[in-house]
Amino acid sequence: MIQVWLWLGCISMTLGTIFFGSGADRAKSKRWQIVYSLNFFICAIAASLYLAMIFKQGFVYLGDRPAYLTRYLTWTFSTPLTLILLSYLGRTSLWVAASMIGADVYMIVTGFVATISQKPISYVWYVVSCGAYVGLVYLLLKYYRQQAEQQYPRSKKTFRRLLMVHLVIWSAYPVVWLLASTGFNVINSVAETACYTILDVAAKVGFGFLALNSLQQLESVEDVSLHQQEQAFDRY
């Protein structure tokens, strides 16, 4: 069953790669091309991850439990692209975007250390990794949202939805880690793979579609605002 879930992940990411890649090729503007391209690379990296796991590459046993080390390597490259995508949509300042990416990479690296460490030391690194995630959440909810809403005062709901979906999905990853063999061993390896696959597809392909929909909403609001400004100018 593990291989079935891995194949489902690979196929889903590959389809997402094809869709976003063709979208970038046919994009109606540079803005759309950038959003499509970022989603293309996010899905392409994830598709490569699942292909590697299907071939049992990067799969090792740490004591008596299995671990896919390629998963963390792929997250290190793909998740910063997701934050870049969010930053591009919200026109985030460089220091906020860089801080979010730094917290994200630190979170993944310490999460990897937690995975390869023996218990109970692994739980210490898990807490450190979660601490980095809390810092990332703080940056997203305070500075990112604040700047995005300043840039798009008429699109607050759009960014709140983006953040809610993003945080719900990402917050589920440490829960799976804790329930799997890396933590309390409540779920078996099949359930762990299934959970990570579902979350990965939602975080990459699903979130990519949400990003496209959000861009469409942002442009619609901008068009309405521009039209209103033109009408006000005509009155004078």
Side-chain angles (χ1 to χ4, degrees), residues 8-47:
L8 287 173
C10 185
I11 293 170
S12 299
M13 298 302 182
T14 301
L15 291 175
T17 302
I18 295 171
F19 175 81
F20 292 125
S22 61
D25 185 55
R26 305 190 313 270
K28 58 184 179 181
S29 67
K30 183 178 180 180
R31 197 176 184 185
W32 280 89
Q33 190 173 48
I34 290 173
V35 173
Y36 269 114
S37 296
L38 285 171
N39 284 312
F40 165 80
F41 284 108
I42 290 169
C43 289
I45 291 170

Side-chain angles (χ1 to χ4, degrees), residues 46-104:
S48 300
L49 156 71
Y50 278 92
L51 187 62
M53 289 196 294
I54 287 169
F55 293 146
K56 300 187 182 302
Q57 294 174 307
F59 176 81
V60 296
Y61 272 91
L62 301 171
D64 59 344
R65 58 184 173 85
Y68 284 106
L69 304 185
T70 48
R71 180 174 281 140
Y72 291 89
L73 180 62
T74 304
W75 286 342
T76 303
F77 289 102
S78 63
T79 55
L81 289 177
T82 301
L83 294 173
I84 291 173
L85 174 61
L86 279 170
S87 299
Y88 180 73
L89 289 173
R91 296 180 179 175
T92 311
S93 65
L94 180 61
W95 83 267
V96 173
S99 298
M100 291 192 300
I101 293 171
D104 173 55

Side-chain angles (χ1 to χ4, degrees), residues 87-121:
S87 299
Y88 180 73
L89 289 173
R91 296 180 179 175
T92 311
S93 65
L94 180 61
W95 83 267
V96 173
S99 298
M100 291 192 300
I101 293 171
D104 173 55
V105 173
Y106 183 78
M107 171 187 71
I108 295 169
V109 171
T110 51
F112 169 73
V113 176
T115 300
I116 64 175
S117 299
Q118 295 295 322
K119 299 173 183 178
I121 297 175

Side-chain angles (χ1 to χ4, degrees), residues 87-188:
S87 299
Y88 180 73
L89 289 173
R91 296 180 179 175
T92 311
S93 65
L94 180 61
W95 83 267
V96 173
S99 298
M100 291 192 300
I101 293 171
D104 173 55
V105 173
Y106 183 78
M107 171 187 71
I108 295 169
V109 171
T110 51
F112 169 73
V113 176
T115 300
I116 64 175
S117 299
Q118 295 295 322
K119 299 173 183 178
I121 297 175
S122 61
Y123 294 122
V124 176
W125 283 109
Y126 173 80
V127 172
V128 173
S129 180
C130 288
Y133 179 60
V134 171
L136 174 59
V137 171
Y138 174 77
L139 290 168
L140 283 166
L141 292 180
K142 183 176 182 180
Y143 294 105
Y144 172 81
R145 187 172 68 177
Q146 184 182 74
Q147 292 184 4
E149 292 179 354
Q150 286 176 350
Q151 294 288 342
Y152 301 95
R154 298 172 180 267
S155 302
K156 292 182 180 181
K157 289 184 178 179
T158 299
F159 286 104
R160 288 173 184 175
R161 183 184 61 170
L162 265 176
L163 283 175
M164 181 188 70
V165 173
H166 175 75
L167 291 176
V168 166
I169 295 173
W170 278 31
S171 296
Y173 281 93
V175 175
V176 175
W177 191 98
L178 204 59
L179 295 177
S181 60
T182 45
F184 298 141
N185 203 21
V186 176
I187 59 176
N188 59 28

